[in-house]
Amino acid sequence: MNHKLTLRNVSKTYNSEEGEIKAVEHINLEVKPTEFLCIVGPSGCGKTTLLRMVAGLDYPTSGEIILDGAHVSGPSPDRGMVFQEFSLFPWRTVLKNVEFGLEIRGVQERRRIAEQYLELVGLLDFKNCYPQELSGGMKQRVAIARALATNPSVLLMDEPFGSVDAQTRNVLQEELLRIWERTEKTIMFVTHSVDEAVYLADRVAVMSARPGRIIQCMKIDIPRPRKRTSVETNVIREKLLTLLVSQYPRIG
Ligand SMILES: Nc1ncnc2c1ncn2[C@@H]1O[C@H](COP(=O)(O)OP(=O)(O)OP(=O)(O)O)[C@@H](O)[C@H]1O
Ligand SMILES: [Mg+2]
């Protein structure tokens, strides 16, 4: 199946008490099937807004989002989301968290499927635990298993590793690459970390300060497995950092 995702001239304006807030503007983006796309940009530039619109949890003010030739008009199992904050249901066990999306859809085999994805993220032994019994990294693994359980074609990840320690983060990145290679998902991954983007992505989209626009898409042609500190990695990091820094306001 062709999982091409297209964002065509997408803009989003929020109405708040302070008036209109233009979050993103004129976003044009084509994400190829099985591509790993990272999005970087200053805080508040509309990265979460963008992912939420692709997830169908929010709507563009203008422009359109098309997946597999159809307009995105709401949430659907073909798009799984891993949120910025830990978002597990604290009253459900690990297994029941992963089963959630399948339960909503009335899938009979949900236990077997949930166990299969828990195995994939290495947490089958913890299936009867509650989220508060897990570390931050483990919680995000469960969130990934939950997002994968409905077998989405597109995985939307909003700074999924932002609140875990540096070592765990490296491990989770490697695990995600392994899962991506095995499951052939299309991934849109938001991060504040240029290092993370250069390690993971096929392509990095750099956004401007709010209203967020895409100022550059950079292809990362480094073969995998990548070295985090190779010369070619550093060259791309430097380019991305320069672009990003240009989007932060200067004080004084
Ligand atoms: N529901 C909402 N109502 C009003 N304004 C909103 C809403 N959600 C987001 N915004 C505004 O839209 C802008 C973009 O927010 P968004 O959360 O998408 O940014 P972000 O790039 O994800 O930031 P961060 O990197 O800090 O997570 C911000 O100015 C924010 O205040
Ligand atoms: Mg955000």
Side-chain angles (χ1 to χ4, degrees):
M1 201 188 197
N2 178 12
H3 303 313
K4 193 170 84 173
L5 173 68
T6 308
L7 282 76
R8 206 172 285 155
N9 214 12
V10 169
S11 300
K12 173 74 184 179
T13 303
Y14 287 110
N15 290 308
S16 73
E17 286 183 4
E18 280 83 52
E20 289 193 339
I21 295 177
K22 222 178 233 181
V24 295
E25 199 172 51
H26 306 310
I27 302 280
N28 285 293
L29 195 60
E30 203 147 279
V31 193
K32 295 177 209 74
T34 75
E35 183 175 26
F36 200 132
L37 178 87
C38 279
I39 299 171
V40 297
S43 185
C45 77
K47 302 179 295 296
T48 296
T49 301
L50 203 59
L51 281 200
R52 284 178 54 82
M53 288 192 289
V54 176
L57 299 170
D58 214 331
Y59 302 94
T61 313
S62 60
E64 52 192 4
I65 302 174
I66 300 157
L67 177 63
D68 293 337
H71 282 262
V72 166
S73 58
S76 150
D78 65 5
R79 282 155 282 131
M81 183 133 173
V82 179
F83 294 89
Q84 200 163 356
E85 292 92 29
F86 299 133
S87 57
L88 301 178
F89 304 118
W91 60 89
R92 284 180 161 240
T93 62
V94 163
L95 185 67
K96 289 286 174 196
N97 262 285
V98 179
E99 280 185 29
F100 181 72
L102 302 163
E103 205 173 291
I104 289 180
R105 293 169 67 205
V107 176
Q108 291 293 321
E109 290 184 294
R110 56 181 178 261
R111 169 150 303 193
R112 189 188 59 76
I113 297 169
E115 286 181 349
Q116 180 193 326
Y117 283 100
L118 277 172
E119 174 127 58
L120 186 69
V121 299
L123 284 181
L124 192 52
D125 289 348
F126 293 84
K127 66 178 180 181
N128 295 319
C129 291
Y130 285 86
Q132 66 268 22
E133 299 173 87
L134 306 181
S135 71
M138 289 159 90
K139 282 183 202 161
Q140 281 313 66
R141 284 194 186 100
V142 177
I144 292 169
R146 185 176 64 181
L148 287 170
T150 54
N151 197 22
S153 55
V154 181
L155 194 55
L156 304 163
M157 308 186 81
D158 192 3
E159 294 185 55
F161 309 145
S163 36
V164 298
D165 67 89
Q167 268 337 100
T168 306
R169 189 171 186 151
N170 288 356
V171 173
L172 289 173
Q173 289 166 359
E174 278 158 33
E175 281 180 9
L176 180 63
L177 285 178
R178 179 178 54 84
I179 290 168
W180 170 65
E181 275 159 14
R182 259 210 231 164
T183 57
E184 301 192 313
K185 304 288 176 204
T186 305
I187 298 185
M188 275 178 90
F189 186 108
V190 166
T191 178
H192 270 112
S193 162
V194 162
D195 292 16
E196 184 164 72
V198 176
Y199 187 69
L200 293 175
D202 291 325
R203 200 157 54 111
V204 182
V206 183
M207 289 179 73
S208 69
R210 192 173 62 82
R213 270 166 280 164
I214 293 179
I215 52 174
Q216 193 158 329
C217 276
M218 201 178 283
K219 213 166 177 329
I220 318 271
D221 274 328
I222 308 171
R224 299 184 178 91
R226 293 178 180 165
K227 289 224 161 51
R228 293 179 190 274
T229 52
S230 69
V231 174
E232 47 189 347
T233 302
N234 284 338
V235 170
I236 297 172
R237 277 171 57 199
E238 182 66 35
K239 278 188 196 158
L240 283 171
L241 281 170
T242 309
L243 272 172
L244 259 184
V245 167
S246 73
Q247 294 306 313
Y248 276 86
R250 295 252 172 261
I251 299 165

